[in-house]
Amino acid sequence: MQINEVPLAPDNQLFRIQLGGTTYTLRIIWRDAAGWIMDVQDSGGAPLLSGVPLVTGLNLLEQYPQLGINGALVVVTDNGAPVEPTKTNLGTYSHLIFIQG
């Protein structure tokens, strides 16, 4: 099993990343009451997932097996408490990790 942290900061961001050997574009945006939301695009920019909330302790990809991403994206916190990422602690206290294998 391989575990890698997806580098995030408490700011809206758009970046390319390899997950399970395939390149994707992730967009992470703050939506006030909805919190942090993730969109996933393929390498050509076509949307694959839109509006996935970054909630702690769940495999964010579990309900999307059709994507074929070999792994899990999970939000964790430094102390293990199931607290959702806030506008100011994403990437510092709350982390997005990719677990492959």
Side-chain angles (χ1 to χ4, degrees):
M1 178 178 2
Q2 185 177 0
I3 300 173
N4 295 303
E5 182 172 354
V6 176
L8 297 178
D11 196 10
N12 294 339
Q13 49 212 293
L14 178 71
F15 57 92
R16 295 173 63 88
I17 188 167
Q18 253 199 354
L19 302 174
T22 303
T23 301
Y24 297 93
T25 299
L26 297 185
R27 183 172 73 162
I28 310 291
I29 53 176
W30 177 254
R31 294 280 190 195
D32 294 321
W36 290 104
I37 302 295
M38 175 180 70
D39 297 334
V40 180
Q41 302 171 350
D42 68 14
S43 60
L48 300 174
L49 294 177
S50 297
V52 177
L54 296 185
V55 295
T56 304
L58 301 174
N59 175 2
L60 303 177
L61 301 175
E62 185 172 28
Q63 59 185 328
Y64 307 105
Q66 73 277 10
L67 295 179
I69 298 175
N70 182 25
L73 276 173
V74 180
V75 177
V76 298
T77 59
D78 284 347
N79 68 2
V83 178
E84 306 311 326
T86 67
K87 186 175 183 178
T88 59
N89 75 9
L90 185 66
T92 57
Y93 174 78
S94 297
H95 308 276
L96 181 62
I97 59 169
F98 181 67
I99 305 165
Q100 184 177 1

